[in-house]
């Protein structure tokens, strides 16, 4: 039985519409809400983000990212025997049917491969990779497509400048396969439901009508404080599991939420800023899509090379967090 799983393909997709901070400031001013490029950049490091077109769903973005990852991996859609989609903005309410099943149909996969959504908000891709790794190591699946896809622009309250300026839309994907060589070196996943209220969409449907709010709510200071603490801890845990030191990390690929959080994590791990992949300035926070999109950007521009060690980590609503150490 094969002992390891390995990432052999990456892909990403950004919707066509690019929204700069100035564009957003003008849009919000029309609603009587003040913000500015300087205010947004100073607090988050974000200069622009992309928004999906009205006719685009998370599955549409996911399919485009998946096609790129499959092409890099040298596989056909029907070679995939498990699809995992991480998303907080699924195509259908309650993720029913799952966005993964919709992606399977749109990719033309007819081999009856398994398909499932995972929900861990911004940690979703990390949860998906760890799940795929376990399935592959068990021998149950051989080629797994793990996707993070979001259309967060649909759940933003543009009268709340503290949150709406932070998020964007996009999708990222990886193909993982059974390997005789170590690929995923270690993974750690955690959650603490006691903090469920600090980052949520506090609404539900009752009798066919919305009860509560369908807009994203975030207690920014509370999320920031938890994120800075937990990201360092989970990275250290993951390194210990692999029997490695932070000095052996070639690239840190963190969840692209806030440049201040990312910088703090790198410093605590003793990593120079040049070893951290940053896309938050142009993508914003794309939740479950942010890590695979950043990974794909660094693979395609030649920064991340075969054989190098990467640390991927994220935190999200729930409260969830996790990390994956991998050799590319």
């Amino acid at each position: 039985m094969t002992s390891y799983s390995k990432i052999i393909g990456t892909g990403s997709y950004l919707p066509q519409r690019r929204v700069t901070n100035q564009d957003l400031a003008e849009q919000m001013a029309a609603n009587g809400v003040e913000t500015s490029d300087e205010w947004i950049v100073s607090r988050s490091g974000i200069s622009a983000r992309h928004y999906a077109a009205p006719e685009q769903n998370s599955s549409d973005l996911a399919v485009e990212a998946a096609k790129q990852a499959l092409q890099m991996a040298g596989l056909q859609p029907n070679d995939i025997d498990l699809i995992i989609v991480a998303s907080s903005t699924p195509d259908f309410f309650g993720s029913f049917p799952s966005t993964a099943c919709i992606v399977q149909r749109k990719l033309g996969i007819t081999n009856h491969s398994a398909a499932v959504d995972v929900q861990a908000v911004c940690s979703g891709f990390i949860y998906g990779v760890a799940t795929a790794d376990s399935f592959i190591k068990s021998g149950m699946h051989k080629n797994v497509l793990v996707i993070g896809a979001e259309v967060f622009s649909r759940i933003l309250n543009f009268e709340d400048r503290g949150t709406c300026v932070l998020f964007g839309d996009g999708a990222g994907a990886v193909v993982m396969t059974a390997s005789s060589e170590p690929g995923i070196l270690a993974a750690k996943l955690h959650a603490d439901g006691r903090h469920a209220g600090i980052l949520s969409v506090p609404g539900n449907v009752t009798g066919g009508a919305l009860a509560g709010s369908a807009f994203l709510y975030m207690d920014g200071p509370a999320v920031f404080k938890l994120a800075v603490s937990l990201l360092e801890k989970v990275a250290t845990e993951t390194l210990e599991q692999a029997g490695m030191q932070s000095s052996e990390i070639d690239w840190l690929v963190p969840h692209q939420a806030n440049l201040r959080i990312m910088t703090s994590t790198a410093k605590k791990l003793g990593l120079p800023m040049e070893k951290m992949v940053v896309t938050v300035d142009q993508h914003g926070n794309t939740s479950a899509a942010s890590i695979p999109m950043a990974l794909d950007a660094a693979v395609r521009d030649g920064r991340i090379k075969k054989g190098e060690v990467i640390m991927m980590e994220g935190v999200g609503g729930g409260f969830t967090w996790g990390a994956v150490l991998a050799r590319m």
Side-chain angles (χ1 to χ4, degrees):
M1 184 174 69
T2 302
S3 300
Y4 307 107
S5 73
K6 196 173 185 68
I7 295 172
I8 60 169
T10 66
S12 60
Y13 176 78
L14 282 168
Q16 185 175 0
R17 183 187 172 198
R18 182 174 183 268
V19 181
T20 66
N21 289 346
Q22 184 58 37
D23 294 332
L24 204 52
E26 292 173 3
Q27 174 186 333
M28 294 169 65
N31 295 324
V33 181
E34 290 187 11
T35 192
S36 67
D37 175 67
E38 181 183 7
W39 189 87
I40 298 169
V41 171
S42 66
R43 284 160 176 77
S44 67
I46 298 168
S47 296
R49 73 288 292 150
H50 290 247
Y51 289 165
E55 68 275 10
Q56 287 182 306
N57 292 319
S58 287
S59 65
D60 297 307
L61 278 56
V63 165
E64 295 305 315
K67 287 178 179 177
Q68 289 189 10
L70 285 164
Q71 183 179 38
M72 183 183 291
L75 297 180
Q76 297 300 313
N78 271 317
D79 294 325
I80 297 297
D81 56 15
L82 172 62
I83 300 170
I84 300 173
V85 174
S87 180
S88 294
T89 51
D91 282 22
F92 295 103
F93 173 76
S95 204
F96 174 18
S98 72
T99 302
C101 282
I102 306 304
V103 169
Q104 182 196 57
R105 174 175 62 81
K106 290 182 177 180
L107 283 173
I109 296 176
T110 57
N111 62 7
H112 298 162
S113 60
V116 65
D117 287 359
V118 298
Q119 168 55 303
V121 196
C122 301
S123 307
F125 178 74
I126 296 297
Y127 269 62
V129 169
T131 300
D133 176 54
S134 294
F135 271 124
I136 291 172
K137 285 178 177 176
S138 75
M140 189 170 179
H141 293 284
K142 181 181 179 182
N143 296 316
V144 183
L145 184 59
V146 183
I147 307 170
E150 304 283 12
V151 284
F152 255 59
S153 59
R154 309 274 167 85
I155 58 172
L156 299 178
N157 178 359
F158 287 95
E159 294 183 359
D160 177 7
R161 73 169 186 169
T163 58
C164 72
V165 300
L166 303 176
F167 296 89
D169 304 340
V174 297
V175 172
M176 296 172 60
T177 194
S179 172
S180 58
E181 299 177 349
I184 304 303
L185 305 174
K188 282 286 185 179
L189 302 177
H190 296 287
D192 188 344
R194 292 175 299 175
H195 302 291
I198 67 174
L199 179 55
S200 66
V201 178
N204 56 69
V205 171
T206 302
L210 175 67
S213 172
F215 289 133
L216 179 147
Y217 165 79
M218 181 172 68
D219 180 342
V223 171
F224 187 96
K225 183 178 179 180
L226 263 180
V228 169
S229 169
L230 296 176
L231 286 172
E232 178 199 6
K233 289 179 181 177
V234 76
T236 301
E237 274 187 297
T238 309
L239 284 166
E240 288 176 353
Q241 186 184 64
M244 297 175 66
Q245 304 295 320
S246 60
S247 59
E248 297 177 80
I249 297 173
D250 293 300
W251 293 98
L252 176 65
V253 188
H255 168 46
Q256 308 285 313
N258 181 302
L259 189 57
R260 290 187 297 157
I261 295 174
M262 295 160 61
T263 300
S264 174
T265 302
K267 286 181 178 178
K268 287 187 175 184
L269 291 173
L271 297 174
M273 294 304 106
E274 312 88 71
K275 284 194 172 187
M276 181 170 69
V277 178
V278 177
T279 57
V280 69
D281 56 325
Q282 297 301 316
H283 295 175
N285 181 346
T286 54
S287 190
S290 81
I291 294 173
M293 288 173 66
L295 174 63
D296 182 56
V299 168
R300 291 183 182 270
D301 68 20
R303 276 177 290 172
I304 294 179
K305 299 174 177 61
K306 186 175 180 180
E308 290 188 325
V309 174
I310 65 169
M311 172 70 78
M312 300 178 284
E313 58 172 2
V315 296
F319 202 77
T320 65
W321 65 100
V324 170
L325 190 68
R327 189 178 299 279
M328 297 298 289

